[in-house]
Amino acid sequence: MDKIYVVLIILAALALLYILWCFLEPFFLDSDRAVLKKPSKDPCPVDDLKVKKVPMIQDVSGKSPDFRFMFFSDTHAEWCPVTAGRICDYIRKANGSSPLDAVIFGGDMSSYQGGLAKGFKYLNTVRDCCSELGIPFYGVSGNHDIYDRSIPEKAGFTSLDDNQITIKSRTSGAEAVLAGLSDTGRKNRVWHKMPALEGSNPVILVVHDPDAILHFDPETRPEFMLSGHLHGGQMKFPFRIEFCLLRRHDRLPNMGAVQGVYNIGGSTVFISRGLGCGVMPFRFLSVPEATVTEIYL
């Protein structure tokens, strides 16, 4: 019997440590870097899309990026221990090493309508930081942002929802189309097609849910895509149980794309783990992240 008690005590201690770590992990911040290189076009049909994992940091042989963005997503302000002040510190640090061309928000400001005030306060702080540094602040809506269609104006970012602008790098002089798509929410979701684009500049698409790439015709797929939504799984379990229980409606995780950089149908796609917590205030093996994305055309 003594051995059984020892085993039970050990199991209880391990369970307690697990719960403690799940509670503490959302307080960490991975301020990382992703290198996105222009891929070769892939004319494969939607039903035959291939997903290929690409290293976050690729060899660029000493070249300077054409664009540098700071991208963050999924603040879910009701439970986001990563404060806006920490994000602003990271923006200042990243901009100090080499000018940022923009700060971009990938959607899901808050989880519920009751959290809008916290969400506005969070993004307004980021807006003020960007304004202080002279950096444009862009964003798109997420599936939780359907409660208030005036979010872009109240949050302080320039909306890319179903919109496009031509941007010019502050350092390289390169030009690209920065486009975005709105999110209609999970209920009665409508997948928007890529908007008609003018000119021949490379396209950098910002869309909250990376599954959008599965709904573009081959000729309209963007060269680059920035997205979030998946939270890196948020709670990683063996055999991808988290996607069976919490994210069973998401298709890309079942194709192997959860977080990081991928080549999907000839598009270079970055999927952020995001900052906050949705549904449950826990994370496990999915540290919050804000990422300097360096784009090479």
Side-chain angles (χ1 to χ4, degrees), residues 153-230:
E153 292 76 20
K154 293 179 180 178
F157 60 79
T158 300
S159 177
L160 295 174
D161 281 344
D162 308 313
N163 193 17
Q164 57 181 288
I165 61 171
T166 298
I167 58 171
K168 186 173 182 178
S169 172
R170 300 169 70 186
T171 54
S172 71
E175 290 189 353
V177 173
L178 183 62
L181 293 177
S182 60
D183 197 297
T184 59
R186 286 195 168 188
K187 292 183 179 180
N188 304 314
R189 181 186 285 282
V190 175
W191 291 104
H192 296 299
K193 296 293 185 181
M194 280 288 292
L197 301 173
E198 300 177 358
S200 58
N201 285 330
V203 178
I204 304 167
L205 177 70
V206 185
V207 58
H208 177 69
D209 190 334
D211 271 5
I213 196 72
L214 304 176
H215 300 271
F216 300 149
D217 296 326
E219 61 272 12
T220 63
R221 289 176 197 143
E223 282 81 3
F224 305 93
M225 194 174 92
L226 306 177
S227 57
H229 180 61
L230 298 179

